[in-house]
Amino acid sequence: MSRVTVSELLQGAPKNWGKWGPEDEIGSLNYLTPEEVLRGVRSVRSGKTFTLGAVIGHPKGDPVWPGRTGAMKLMTQDKGHYLSHKVDAAPGGLEYADDYITMFLQGTTQFDALGHTWYDDQIWNGYDAKETIGGMGKASVLPIAEHGVVGRAVLLDMARHRGKPSLSAGETFGVEDLLACAASQNVDIEPHDILVIRTGWLKVFYEQGPEAFYGKVFNEPGLTYSPELVDWFQRMEIPVLATDTIANETTVEPETGVVLPLHNALMRNLGVLFNEILWLEDLADDCAADGQYTFLYVGAPLKIYRGTGAPVNPVAIK
Amino acid sequence: MSRVTVSELLQGAPKNWGKWGPEDEIGSLNYLTPEEVLRGVRSVRSGKTFTLGAVIGHPKGDPVWPGRTGAMKLMTQDKGHYLSHKVDAAPGGLEYADDYITMFLQGTTQFDALGHTWYDDQIWNGYDAKETIGGMGKASVLPIAEHGVVGRAVLLDMARHRGKPSLSAGETFGVEDLLACAASQNVDIEPHDILVIRTGWLKVFYEQGPEAFYGKVFNEPGLTYSPELVDWFQRMEIPVLATDTIANETTVEPETGVVLPLHNALMRNLGVLFNEILWLEDLADDCAADGQYTFLYVGAPLKIYRGTGAPVNPVAIK
Amino acid sequence: MSRVTVSELLQGAPKNWGKWGPEDEIGSLNYLTPEEVLRGVRSVRSGKTFTLGAVIGHPKGDPVWPGRTGAMKLMTQDKGHYLSHKVDAAPGGLEYADDYITMFLQGTTQFDALGHTWYDDQIWNGYDAKETIGGMGKASVLPIAEHGVVGRAVLLDMARHRGKPSLSAGETFGVEDLLACAASQNVDIEPHDILVIRTGWLKVFYEQGPEAFYGKVFNEPGLTYSPELVDWFQRMEIPVLATDTIANETTVEPETGVVLPLHNALMRNLGVLFNEILWLEDLADDCAADGQYTFLYVGAPLKIYRGTGAPVNPVAIK
Amino acid sequence: MSRVTVSELLQGAPKNWGKWGPEDEIGSLNYLTPEEVLRGVRSVRSGKTFTLGAVIGHPKGDPVWPGRTGAMKLMTQDKGHYLSHKVDAAPGGLEYADDYITMFLQGTTQFDALGHTWYDDQIWNGYDAKETIGGMGKASVLPIAEHGVVGRAVLLDMARHRGKPSLSAGETFGVEDLLACAASQNVDIEPHDILVIRTGWLKVFYEQGPEAFYGKVFNEPGLTYSPELVDWFQRMEIPVLATDTIANETTVEPETGVVLPLHNALMRNLGVLFNEILWLEDLADDCAADGQYTFLYVGAPLKIYRGTGAPVNPVAIK
């Protein structure tokens, strides 16, 4: 149980509802204008690229939010089908392999739809939460996917900043930590920057296994709620928060016991896009090596009609 | 039936097997070095962006290769579950919607793995076709997804070039048509350019319906085999062929009746990446309007372990 | 559009709500007491058995209600996986094949849950239709599956009775036709008999193909609504209606244009179980040959938690 | 690792291959002739019925063989879809709920196909194990499903016989234990009887949870291999072995370390049908109460085309 409700916690907290009109479904993504795209392009120097998606159907399993399950990928045909005469080659002799997947749309690296979470029966921009029934009638991931997410990003390597391979379960940080991390990296966070925060947490799943990752009670490290943090996001007009954790914030806010308050304070209320479960290890190693923590971020989730979220394999271009 | 086999048709045709070593799984993607990424970045002018993925779970259905089926997307929870007391809010009051999908991995805009098609029991680079059994042991889509596809792209709008809203079923074109199209657009195709060819065909599915799209015998318009075409691709070191059709080439090669010979001549033999089922209408309208047919292409398919292909929502940055 | 609503059509029609208490979820299945089981057992003479399920994943496709899709069955492992070293034999050398399915729970021979259809916001026994949200909280198929359906059944071969291989699209019959058919077969319909009605319609799918089966507008042959029919079902205390059509009744009631009124008049209001999409050809041939139209029916759908229906392969024991 | 291979262990062990012709796919099910059906019918006394399937999608999870996963059941529409205007009522006002499932075909109470397991590259009746590739070309579950399984069954309550609520992990028993159990129950095992053996193990999953059920190393209690056991099954012409465990035998044969030798000795070699994961608690309580351990068993798995197995909800009629 929590000591307060999220509704009480966020009483009077800022909202961007209506800022981009009553029909808006992409929120802070509106900040990423063509000019911001060009600002991102100008951050490219060497042409090195990094892909930030997690492997889907990894032999060690896929890290997912408790209650979700990993992807199931199966062959619909392969060379075996030809060998056992279940399938014939096409005229001329072409043969091919094909496959099929079942998965949670948020079961890997993904963007949340702005309407993915809510409280008090309203989702982003004030739409009725009933719009989610049977598929996201409003604030689905589709408008985000149609727009695409392109802009200048800053990597904030909180794990390196704290001198650890990865943060610990439940370990938190706030806006002052972000700024200190940026300072230690000699990088300025500019308005409209995409924030990419590394905790090292995703690596725990693959290196230490599910037991270490999930623990007795699942409690990820991450950003945690404060009024200052929310104000800073609003003032800096941050369009996207991306991290290498399942939910981009510490699972339980330690002061109040409220679960995932930033999903509501930042995503529902301000329209900040959440890009979760990123693989940041290779990018972070490279940034530490060359000291360049800014890059062009390009990520467009799949265009899932009425989706609550959609997988993406973002690309960082340095 | 075909008059010759693909094996006969491609007797003596060029191969890039071994060119990037015996363990290579990404083929012509090797051409896209950091220098080529920078060349692509230099093609950006206005910061306009276009996403090239098709909608998944479109209300009008999803265009797929015959034998595949469209995606099935279902809610695992939404506001209805809270209303009917099937799910409780999290501590503090957070509620959320979540969903699940079943789909063919090549059932929308996607990259083929290099080992997706073959003849004579060998896939790209000479790997045994048995590697495909139970999942792509070699030449899967995963190394492509880990690398990412970033470079300068040229749009060749064949439909506009021919003065049509879309090419007709079975309509073909070859290398000389590509060059004539480029000339008419006042654009040079440079070595290592990603080729993005618009036929207008995908639009037929949404505007005229499945009957018009599939016809009595499915036969897409597209590039068709010639030795000159294959030589040109090899000489120009084209890394990627991308189109707005299901299979990137005319379904049946009209001279011989061989099905999809370019999948083998270009993909299996040369290692050219195939990016299929793109939505090019908005991009093409814009290119026709501003006369800029080159752009930075950024597309990284999902990192599907052992996948025969994987969905992607590519981004064009002009 | 229909000329009246089902609510108007069934104004004053009989209901069995509350007859078996406010918590009842199995309706007319209550009629099948152990005594009725013994009556069914006594109808067995020769020990011949017939299975009445349709093939799932049939090479010709699966006949389903428009909007549903056929099953997708895929191997998770087979001998190919061992040959290509994707899987190792168990200690001692055991190897095995395994598979996975995705399907509509009503995409083959199945029992409807009593709450499967409704009007005026109430399902069987008066439960709120909101109970269906996110899974059947009331009147699911589970209590039916736990009980099992065992009793004496009578085959009424309407197609043979009318001298046709199968009834035609939209062809209807009523209670007097059922009685005439029974008379022509020299069989008495007794109270509590399971009614198994053959129209020959399912065979049309396999023999004439989907075009003949679905037509331009899907309209199955079958029973059609009349107040007399409903009264007869209630008076005879018929526990189960089973047919070889998708929906057990003519799709559109020809007088009024109301879609599937018997689902509401018999299932929702009286609690009659609907067992649909049966394969009756072999059983019917045998009944015509030996003149024995009664048998022990044994069918228990799968125990799907909160299911709207569940597959079953019923057995007829003559 | 095992000390011998299953091939060595079963050197010279009996086989029924060819006994029912070179095309046979149902093995010992051939023993269940109409006469045997009538013998089963004669065992019915009171008309009490019990359904023996496990719940699919149970709130506590579904017990499955390690590596398989539980079923995922999702609504495709329900009252919520009408409330949120995602779906319209049919003409006249009918509304309905519908659902979809993804599951392992052996992820609940099911019959194995005779070709489900093998060694030395041959499945039942000597068919090549390559027949399993891409679907069971031979010895699939379909012929079993088409035939149906009807006959006299005997419940052997090994847990009660040993005075325990359930056998312990890895606990074994053999043919002499079966006979002693039958004697203690005052029941004769007759030739062609379906053997239904209760260990109480399935209940452990629901009552004690997955940790107790799976343990550190999964090792079910059950029958274990001996030459005498195999000879007895062959001599008694037992058609079906059914138990309340996942695999019908102790997971690891303790003498040799061979995994699941009876799957090969009984199913692959003799053609004995395996019916697994039964819910026997209610039936067993009733048998203990009235002393009647024989009954008519009726079970027909779903007719899955080329299936390695198929779900079933068997009915016991006492």
Side-chain angles (χ1 to χ4, degrees), chain A residues 1-2 4-7 33-35 37-38 41 44-59 65-66 68-70 72-73 75-83 90-106 108-109 115-121 128-136 142 144-150 257-261 263-264 279 296 298-309 311-315 317-318, chain B residues 1-2 4-7 33-35 37-38 41 44-59 65-66 68-70 72-73 75-83 90-106 108-109 115-121 128-136 142 144-150 257-261 263-264 279 296 298-309 311-315 317-318:
Chain A
M1 287 303 298
S2 57
V4 299
T5 66
V6 63
S7 185
T33 59
E35 291 68 36
V37 171
L38 291 177
V41 166
V44 176
R45 300 184 196 169
S46 62
K48 285 185 287 190
T49 58
F50 298 86
T51 58
L52 308 184
V55 174
I56 298 174
H58 194 288
W65 181 257
R68 294 185 189 135
T69 52
M72 170 81 61
K73 188 196 90 75
M75 302 304 284
T76 59
Q77 69 179 53
D78 57 35
K79 182 63 188 175
H81 291 68
Y82 296 96
L83 291 174
L94 171 130
E95 299 181 349
Y96 70 101
D98 221 14
D99 43 18
Y100 190 81
I101 201 164
T102 70
M103 65 181 294
F104 274 83
L105 283 167
Q106 302 200 19
T108 186
T109 315
H116 170 50
T117 70
W118 67 89
Y119 63 97
D120 285 353
D121 294 336
D128 190 324
K130 290 204 197 74
E131 289 284 353
T132 67
I133 299 179
M136 306 295 286
L142 183 57
I144 294 170
E146 287 175 330
H147 186 285
V149 180
V150 184
V258 170
V259 167
L260 301 182
H263 270 70
N264 284 318
W279 178 251
L296 175 63
V298 183
L302 300 184
K303 290 179 181 168
I304 306 288
Y305 183 71
R306 291 184 174 163
T308 71
V312 65
N313 182 10
V315 181
I317 308 176
K318 289 185 62 176
Chain B
M1 287 302 300
S2 58
V4 299
T5 65
V6 63
S7 184
T33 59
E35 290 70 34
V37 171
L38 292 178
V41 166
V44 176
R45 298 184 197 169
S46 63
K48 285 185 287 190
T49 58
F50 298 87
T51 58
L52 308 182
V55 174
I56 298 173
H58 195 287
W65 182 256
R68 292 182 191 139
T69 50
M72 169 81 62
K73 188 197 91 75
M75 302 304 284
T76 58
Q77 69 179 54
D78 57 35
K79 182 63 189 177
H81 292 68
Y82 296 95
L83 292 174
L94 172 130
E95 299 182 349
Y96 70 101
D98 220 16
D99 43 17
Y100 189 80
I101 200 164
T102 70
M103 66 181 293
F104 274 84
L105 282 168
Q106 302 200 19
T108 187
T109 315
H116 170 49
T117 71
W118 67 88
Y119 64 96
D120 287 355
D121 295 338
D128 190 325
K130 289 202 197 77
E131 289 284 354
T132 66
I133 299 178
M136 307 294 286
L142 183 57
I144 293 169
E146 287 175 330
H147 185 284
V149 181
V150 184
V258 170
V259 167
L260 301 183
H263 270 70
N264 284 317
W279 178 253
L296 175 63
V298 182
L302 300 184
K303 290 180 180 168
I304 306 286
Y305 184 70
R306 289 184 175 163
T308 73
V312 65
N313 182 10
V315 181
I317 308 175
K318 290 184 62 175

Side-chain angles (χ1 to χ4, degrees), chain B residues 15 19-20 22 38 40 77 89 92 94 100 119 129 144 147 162 183 194 196 244-245 249 258 274 277 286 296 300 318:
Chain B
K15 280 199 187 78
K19 177 168 182 169
W20 296 284
L38 292 178
Q77 69 179 54
L94 172 130
Y100 189 80
Y119 64 96
I144 293 169
H147 185 284
R162 291 191 171 169
I194 293 167
V196 180
D244 60 349
T245 66
E249 59 176 308
V258 170
F274 274 34
I277 320 183
D286 189 78
L296 175 63
K318 290 184 62 175

Side-chain angles (χ1 to χ4, degrees), chain D residues 272-291:
Chain D
V272 176
L273 269 64
F274 274 36
N275 183 196
E276 297 164 333
I277 319 183
L278 276 76
W279 179 252
L280 298 175
E281 298 306 306
D282 300 301
L283 174 64
D285 285 348
D286 188 78
C287 293
D290 72 4

Side-chain angles (χ1 to χ4, degrees), chain B residues 227-243:
Chain B
E228 295 72 30
L229 179 76
V230 177
D231 288 341
W232 183 81
F233 264 83
Q234 191 183 38
R235 203 171 58 245
M236 293 292 286
E237 299 185 338
I238 300 298
V240 179
L241 174 64
T243 83

Side-chain angles (χ1 to χ4, degrees), chain A residues 158 161-162 173-182 226 228-229:
Chain A
M158 288 302 301
H161 176 58
R162 290 191 172 170
F173 49 92
V175 66
E176 60 298 331
D177 300 296
L178 296 181
L179 297 175
C181 177
S226 72
E228 295 72 31
L229 179 76

